[in-house]
Amino acid sequence: MSMDMTTVGDTGLLDTLQHEVAVFARRAEQTRLGGVGQVRNSMDRAAYLLLNRLDKEGPMGVKALAASMGIDSSTVTRQVAPLVDTGLVKRTSHPEDGRAVVLQLSPRGQARLDEVRSSRRQLMAELTHDWAPEEREAFCTLLTRFNSALSARQAAQGLPVAESQPTS
């Protein structure tokens, strides 16, 4: 779908928006929004998202995990390998088909995820300490809406799209 951006709104505002999104993406990647304290910058985005998905949805196979995240199985396999090696994820037999392998968050992985979530939560609190509760809620609502629009655009282009899930 092509859109004449001049009909959407003020081009100056759209220029500011695209610039701020680019700055946000760079800063988020630089800090990995890792939180505060000793856990800061200690878990990369892929690991966090994989662990979070396993926590929210429970044990699952590589294909199911890949589908739920909107990425291909080879990417999941590559990203999960170090998580298995470090004991954050464990491979177990599928309860109904012993030949199939299921990925599961280990107790160590759960503890690490909880630690990183807590640190990131603290970072969000620090960054928005002077925001009114309504501003935090509005920001979350708009950011969720923005991410949903990006997902819808990916889907329209035939690209894999993960379902949006709030994280703790």
Side-chain angles (χ1 to χ4, degrees):
M1 170 170 70
S2 179
M3 209 178 272
D4 178 6
M5 295 312 288
T6 58
T7 62
V8 173
D10 178 24
T11 56
L13 182 62
L14 294 173
D15 285 345
T16 300
L17 178 60
Q18 66 80 22
H19 175 77
E20 291 301 325
V21 168
V23 170
F24 170 77
R26 183 182 64 217
R27 287 190 178 141
E29 188 57 31
Q30 285 172 339
T31 64
R32 298 185 192 264
L33 289 180
V36 296
Q38 292 185 357
V39 238
R40 186 171 182 269
N41 294 328
S42 59
M43 185 178 288
D44 69 35
R45 180 184 63 237
Y48 178 78
L49 293 172
L50 283 165
L51 294 178
N52 192 63
R53 185 61 55 129
L54 288 172
D55 182 46
K56 297 293 183 186
E57 295 185 21
M60 66 179 77
V62 169
K63 286 183 181 180
L65 183 56
S68 75
M69 295 188 69
I71 56 180
D72 63 56
S73 295
S74 64
T75 301
V76 167
T77 300
R78 187 177 65 253
Q79 292 176 349
V80 163
L83 300 176
V84 171
D85 292 344
T86 57
L88 299 177
V89 170
K90 59 184 179 177
R91 289 186 175 105
T92 59
S93 296
H94 191 283
E96 297 164 10
D97 180 0
R99 297 169 296 165
V101 173
V102 174
L103 300 170
Q104 181 177 355
L105 195 59
S106 71
R108 181 173 182 221
Q110 183 68 62
R112 186 73 184 103
L113 180 59
D114 291 344
E115 182 180 36
V116 170
R117 279 181 180 156
S118 176
S119 178
R120 288 179 177 199
R121 201 175 297 117
Q122 185 179 350
L123 176 62
M124 295 301 111
E126 285 181 15
L127 293 174
T128 62
H129 77 277
D130 59 346
W131 295 20
E134 304 80 39
E135 290 175 312
R136 284 182 179 174
E137 191 172 328
F139 183 70
C140 287
T141 298
L142 292 171
L143 190 56
T144 299
R145 185 174 171 190
F146 187 80
N147 282 329
S148 294
L150 285 173
S151 292
R153 187 172 193 276
Q154 278 185 271
Q157 293 175 338
L159 300 171
V161 177
E163 289 183 33
S164 178
Q165 271 194 342
T167 56
S168 305

